[in-house]
Amino acid sequence: MANNNYQQLTRTFQRLSRFSHLSSIAGWDMAAMMPPGGSQARGEALAELGVLQHQILTDKNVANALEAAQQENLSDDERANLNEMARAYHQAALLPESLVEAKSLAGNRCEHAWRTQRKNNDWQGFAPNLKEVVRLSREEAKIRAEASGGSRYDALLDLYEPGMTSSRLDVLFADLKSWLPDLLQTVVDKQASRTLINPQGPFSTESQRQLGLETMTLLGFDFNGGRLDVSTHPFCGGVPEDVRITTRYDENDLLSALFGVIHETGHARYEQNLPRQWAGQPIAHARSMGVHESQSLFFEMQLGRSAEFLKHLLPKIQQHFGSQPAFSLDNFIAWSQTVERGYIRVDADEVSYPAHVILRYEIERALIDGQIEVDDIPALWDEKMQQYLGLSTEGNYRNGCMQDIHWTDGGFGYFPSYTLGAMYAAQLFQAARKALPDLDQNLNDGNFSPLFGWLQQNVWQHGSRFSTSELITHATGEDLNSRYFREHLTARYL
């Protein structure tokens, strides 16, 4: 029997993929290149494109073809692709077109204004836009929850991390909260007794940019299919054939932009190595945001902050910024592995980072489930920062509840991906070490290919063929286990 329905679907999804490509590059341009005056017109153009994609995806012919294709004679990969198509269709078909458009417009408006409002610590100006984004996100969550039978927050979480629920997150995060505060305190106390020499800036933006490009090369980034630019909030966007990385520079801080670039390069390598033979089909997409974050944190934390990697990074830093006492190997490693309580999530070390994520998760879940309102966020943020990190953000919206881009365009349910990613990354690194007996020697020699080859084999090439649980179990021999994250932090910092 010819697989006519399945073939028809692959053509539709190829078409959707091309529109998604345009939307992605236009979104990158909006964040990195576009003059401020273009914001409204671009927002309207992207909303129009979003509506068009929604119309194509939710057409009744797609529904009929999905049903008929279930009866066709498909290979395992085609069957996996069909499952991902059905998932995309059902997610889209739940939402009315008017809501898709309204969400896109409100998100673009809020995100664009946030860029200036954050700089000015202007919560009063920001809150009305955020309220509109939250109102529409709650509307979406309600529709999705009624269809799935779960909670409203879980319905949004599932968009980023299919199969994950807040009840499972609560167990994972409760485990973290049981040992992480003590570990953080112990590490901070231990590091307090050492004498560190801080590098003397300024570190010119151009030299930092060159250093970033060289580090991306060291990490195997393909510049024939991607580039590095600047934006307010570092991100990795674009498409597998054309991956766009951005970072932000501070001439008084060498590490922030550099490790931002290393983090985004992890995302980019994953994108650049997704299964190209399936390009344009849902099976070729990254599995989930948790798996995506596992790749960026694998690069930034597991590999990037390791003594072996820092040893190979240091000569490049000395080349750009000269020789100074801070750049002795021992001091540089200690400096790069400093643990301290700070306000900013993207600059946080890997020991304190989960506290930033748990705080956001608890606030956004209460917000979507209707237990709190937008006006409650600043006080709650301050309370949780004091509880988890011993810092107050009262009146400091810029470095408090306004620091992230995610909520501005309705990305509720995304934040848990970061800590899930850190756990997956530790488990994957442990599995790679077991599979590659010479790994430590390879890393010492600056030969990172065996490690990247292992990731290619076990994570990258599979795209969305397996569920997250299946992917992690195939790669490591067991489902997610937070024990490896704890062991990693203890081994590195104690």
Side-chain angles (χ1 to χ4, degrees):
M1 171 168 83
N3 297 333
N4 295 339
N5 292 287
Y6 175 77
Q7 292 307 328
Q8 179 193 325
L9 287 165
T10 61
R11 289 191 291 275
T12 301
F13 277 85
Q14 180 74 63
R15 192 171 171 224
L16 282 167
S17 171
R18 287 170 181 152
F19 284 131
S20 181
H21 179 151
L22 293 175
S23 172
S24 196
I25 297 299
W28 162 84
D29 176 75
M30 197 173 186
M33 295 287 169
M34 190 186 74
S39 175
Q40 189 177 341
R42 179 66 55 85
E44 288 165 0
L46 283 169
E48 189 74 50
L49 194 51
V51 168
L52 177 62
Q53 287 171 276
H54 188 263
Q55 286 169 345
I56 295 168
L57 181 52
T58 56
D59 187 283
K60 68 175 188 302
N61 291 331
V62 172
N64 296 338
L66 281 168
E67 201 173 323
Q70 293 292 351
Q71 311 310 316
E72 292 177 344
N73 184 21
L74 305 176
S75 70
D76 288 350
D77 283 352
E78 287 169 336
R79 182 79 48 200
N81 193 35
L82 182 63
N83 290 340
E84 290 300 306
M85 289 172 170
R87 178 178 157 74
Y89 167 78
H90 291 303
Q91 281 179 341
L94 289 172
L95 301 187
E97 212 172 274
S98 56
L99 179 57
V100 173
E101 183 173 29
K103 267 201 77 186
S104 179
L105 288 169
N108 281 325
R109 193 163 49 243
C110 184
E111 190 267 328
H112 185 75
W114 163 82
R115 294 183 209 177
T116 316
Q117 289 162 344
R118 183 192 171 199
K119 275 187 210 133
N120 300 334
N121 200 39
D122 178 15
W123 170 260
Q124 264 46 58
F126 175 65
N129 283 338
L130 183 61
K131 283 176 184 172
E132 181 59 10
V133 171
V134 168
R135 184 183 72 77
L136 294 167
S137 296
R138 283 174 171 172
E139 201 178 311
E140 175 184 1
K142 180 171 181 281
I143 294 168
R144 294 193 182 288
E146 280 165 4
S148 69
S151 78
R152 294 182 183 186
Y153 181 74
D154 281 6
L156 298 186
L157 178 64
D158 192 68
L159 297 173
Y160 300 102
E161 203 54 30
M164 184 54 70
T165 60
S166 48
S167 58
R168 189 171 172 212
L169 278 179
D170 287 342
V171 173
L172 287 164
F173 288 173
D175 172 58
L176 273 182
K177 285 180 357 187
S178 74
W179 55 264
L180 196 65
D182 287 348
L183 179 72
L184 177 58
Q185 188 59 54
T186 309
V187 175
V188 169
D189 291 345
K190 180 186 173 202
Q191 292 190 351
S193 62
R194 63 187 192 181
T195 314
L196 270 193
I197 308 166
N198 285 325
Q200 297 306 303
F203 309 101
S204 83
T205 296
E206 187 43 43
S207 296
Q208 285 195 58
R209 178 180 152 72
Q210 285 307 320
L211 174 64
L213 293 169
E214 286 167 26
T215 306
M216 288 163 72
T217 302
L218 183 67
L219 292 169
F221 182 87
D222 174 12
F223 283 97
N224 191 40
R227 50 182 288 142
L228 172 66
D229 293 282
V230 177
S231 69
T232 315
H233 194 95
F235 70 91
C236 173
V239 291
E241 300 80 2
D242 179 7
V243 178
R244 306 297 175 95
I245 288 182
T246 68
T247 192
R248 56 182 175 211
Y249 298 103
D250 174 349
E251 299 211 331
N252 300 310
D253 181 355
L254 176 57
L255 287 194
S256 181
L258 178 60
F259 278 96
V261 166
I262 293 172
H263 178 98
E264 302 306 340
T265 301
H267 282 305
R269 289 291 321 266
Y270 184 21
E271 285 290 321
Q272 289 183 333
N273 288 280
L274 286 167
R276 289 289 169 91
Q277 71 275 26
W278 288 94
Q281 298 303 313
I283 193 179
H285 295 171
R287 172 60 282 171
S288 72
M289 286 324 303
V291 176
H292 230 310
E293 291 304 337
S294 80
Q295 298 310 290
S296 57
L297 292 169
F298 193 102
F299 273 59
E300 181 193 1
M301 298 299 185
Q302 296 292 325
L303 176 62
R305 304 259 180 185
S306 70
E308 295 87 351
F309 184 77
L310 293 168
K311 186 178 86 175
H312 292 286
L313 199 53
L314 185 57
K316 296 181 186 302
I317 288 174
Q318 289 165 331
Q319 208 180 324
H320 286 286
F321 302 108
S323 219
Q324 49 171 284
F327 295 154
S328 75
L329 182 61
D330 288 347
N331 189 80
F332 177 63
I333 291 172
W335 182 57
S336 302
Q337 293 182 352
T338 297
V339 171
E340 55 193 347
R341 297 178 173 90
Y343 291 101
I344 305 296
R345 176 187 60 82
V346 295
D347 293 339
D349 58 84
E350 58 184 332
V351 185
S352 62
Y353 197 106
H356 291 271
V357 169
I358 292 169
L359 170 152
R360 288 157 172 78
Y361 159 65
E362 290 172 350
I363 292 176
E364 71 176 12
R365 186 176 67 172
L367 190 64
I368 293 301
D369 286 343
Q371 294 154 357
I372 62 165
E373 295 302 327
V374 167
D375 292 335
D376 302 321
I377 293 174
L380 201 52
W381 192 286
D382 177 49
E383 182 190 311
K384 287 182 183 291
M385 275 299 278
Q386 294 197 45
Q387 185 188 341
Y388 296 152
L389 289 162
L391 299 169
S392 171
T393 54
E394 194 178 350
N396 182 2
Y397 310 112
R398 195 171 140 236
N399 296 328
C401 55
M402 282 180 73
Q403 65 180 272
D404 297 295
I405 201 169
H406 305 59
W407 290 347
T408 66
D409 61 357
F412 299 100
Y414 188 123
F415 279 120
S417 309
Y418 290 109
T419 290
L420 288 169
M423 292 179 186
Y424 290 135
Q427 189 165 331
L428 288 166
F429 205 91
Q430 184 58 34
R433 178 163 269 135
K434 204 183 283 184
L436 305 167
D438 299 331
L439 182 61
D440 289 338
Q441 190 56 53
N442 293 149
L443 298 182
N444 251 319
D445 297 342
N447 175 14
F448 307 120
S449 329
L451 185 59
F452 298 151
W454 186 89
L455 285 173
Q456 165 68 29
Q457 193 63 36
N458 290 282
V459 181
W460 300 344
Q461 67 160 340
H462 296 303
S464 281
R465 186 177 174 197
F466 304 114
S467 71
T468 304
S469 286
E470 288 168 341
L471 183 73
I472 295 300
T473 305
H474 285 313
T476 70
E478 60 183 304
D479 200 357
L480 178 60
N481 184 341
S482 60
R483 171 170 78 91
Y484 297 103
F485 184 51
R486 185 178 186 173
E487 285 173 2
H488 160 70
L489 293 180
T490 307
R492 177 171 285 175
Y493 296 98
L494 296 180

